[in-house]
Amino acid sequence: MRNIKPLCNFENIENKIGEIINTPNWKSLIEKFKKAEHIYIIGNGGNWAVATHAAVDLARLTNKKVFSLDSTCYVTSIANDAGYENVFAKWLDLYADKKKKSLLISFSATGTSKNIVNAINWSKKKKNFNNFLLTAQHKKNKSYNTKVINLGLKYFHSAELLVFMLFYEMVYQLGYKCPKIAGYKKTK
């Protein structure tokens, strides 16, 4: 029986973690995360799935309040009333506590999704918000001004997986740990 070689190119994402976590913007993200009282995470498509899962695990594994727009009913209601390009900005406007130190973390493979750009611009107008964009291929974009963590990747699947991995790295950098499968006990 011959060995099968992987066909999917994952762009050495595991090695990219070390590069990214040593950038000034990553270090700034960790500091802003520590200081934030509320964290909001957004993304589209596969990045939306990563955002919702990351929000759950960051809230569960740290002492932070982390939120993601994960109600399909809510999304379609806002999109119908305000347009999909405003879905995250409108959610933040309705949902974010204007008195809490807050952080918006956005995922966009291209960095150009209109609804992500609008949410970043919404947060820039708020005195209590910091914001970051994690993107696969950063291009200068005059429509927003935010700190960018450029993943330097070509494929959507690689970007989504790397962002997911970075959130677990964040758990450890914040001083917490992820549970091991062996010996894991459910809490009641």
Side-chain angles (χ1 to χ4, degrees), residues 78-79 82-92 114-115 118-119:
I78 295 173
Y84 192 69
E85 69 277 6
N86 296 309
V87 71
F88 295 121
K90 187 69 173 168
W91 170 65
L92 288 166
K114 190 72 173 153
N115 58 358
N118 287 344

Side-chain angles (χ1 to χ4, degrees), residues 26 54 59 61 136:
W26 176 265
L61 298 172

Side-chain angles (χ1 to χ4, degrees), residues 110-112 117 120-121 133 138-139 141-146 148:
T110 63
T112 60
V117 171
I120 291 168
N121 288 336
L133 170 67
H138 178 59
K139 298 172 184 96
N141 190 336
K142 293 181 181 178
S143 63
Y144 63 84
N145 180 21
T146 187
V148 174

Side-chain angles (χ1 to χ4, degrees), residues 69 72-91 93-94:
L69 175 52
T72 308
C73 181
Y74 203 76
V75 169
T76 58
S77 176
I78 295 173
N80 185 61
D81 294 346
Y84 192 69
E85 69 277 6
N86 296 309
V87 71
F88 295 121
K90 187 69 173 168
W91 170 65
D93 197 47
L94 295 169

Side-chain angles (χ1 to χ4, degrees), residues 156-170:
F156 288 97
H157 63 271
S158 299
E160 292 161 3
L161 290 170
L162 180 54
V163 167
F164 202 62
M165 293 164 73
L166 285 167
F167 272 98
Y168 288 107
E169 177 62 26
M170 183 181 281

Side-chain angles (χ1 to χ4, degrees), residues 19 26 33-34 48 65 69-70 72 77 102 110 115 128:
E19 294 171 23
W26 176 265
F33 193 100
K34 287 177 182 177
W48 186 11
K65 293 190 181 282
L69 175 52
D70 57 359
T72 308
S77 176
S102 297
T110 63
N115 58 358
N128 63 318

Side-chain angles (χ1 to χ4, degrees), residues 60 184-188:
R60 184 175 67 88
Y184 178 75
K185 293 182 178 138
K186 291 183 182 179
T187 57
K188 293 183 181 184

Side-chain angles (χ1 to χ4, degrees), residues 31-188:
E31 287 308 309
K32 299 293 184 193
F33 193 100
K34 287 177 182 177
K35 293 177 182 173
E37 296 171 274
H38 287 177
I39 296 103
Y40 302 89
I41 307 176
I42 60 172
N44 288 308
N47 283 322
W48 186 11
V50 173
T52 60
H53 194 127
V56 167
D57 276 357
L58 284 168
R60 184 175 67 88
L61 298 172
T62 72
N63 65 347
K64 294 293 184 175
K65 293 190 181 282
V66 187
F67 308 96
S68 184
L69 175 52
D70 57 359
S71 167
T72 308
C73 181
Y74 203 76
V75 169
T76 58
S77 176
I78 295 173
N80 185 61
D81 294 346
Y84 192 69
E85 69 277 6
N86 296 309
V87 71
F88 295 121
K90 187 69 173 168
W91 170 65
L92 288 166
D93 197 47
L94 295 169
Y95 198 80
D97 187 328
K98 311 311 187 260
K99 296 177 184 172
K100 301 286 186 184
K101 289 181 189 174
S102 297
L103 173 64
L104 173 64
I105 304 173
S106 306
F107 309 151
S108 175
T110 63
T112 60
S113 300
K114 190 72 173 153
N115 58 358
I116 299 293
V117 171
N118 287 344
I120 291 168
N121 288 336
W122 178 91
S123 72
K124 292 297 281 185
K125 295 175 188 172
K126 307 301 176 196
K127 293 182 183 188
N128 63 318
F129 261 84
N130 286 297
N131 58 63
F132 285 83
L133 170 67
L134 282 76
T135 183
Q137 296 182 354
H138 178 59
K139 298 172 184 96
K140 295 281 183 198
N141 190 336
K142 293 181 181 178
S143 63
Y144 63 84
N145 180 21
T146 187
K147 290 195 176 182
V148 174
I149 296 172
N150 184 14
L151 306 178
L153 298 169
K154 292 189 254 182
Y155 297 104
F156 288 97
H157 63 271
S158 299
E160 292 161 3
L161 290 170
L162 180 54
V163 167
F164 202 62
M165 293 164 73
L166 285 167
F167 272 98
Y168 288 107
E169 177 62 26
M170 183 181 281
V171 168
Y172 282 87
Q173 287 192 18
L174 293 167
Y176 300 91
K177 293 185 179 178
C178 298
K180 292 181 180 181
I181 296 169
Y184 178 75
K185 293 182 178 138
K186 291 183 182 179
T187 57
K188 293 183 181 184

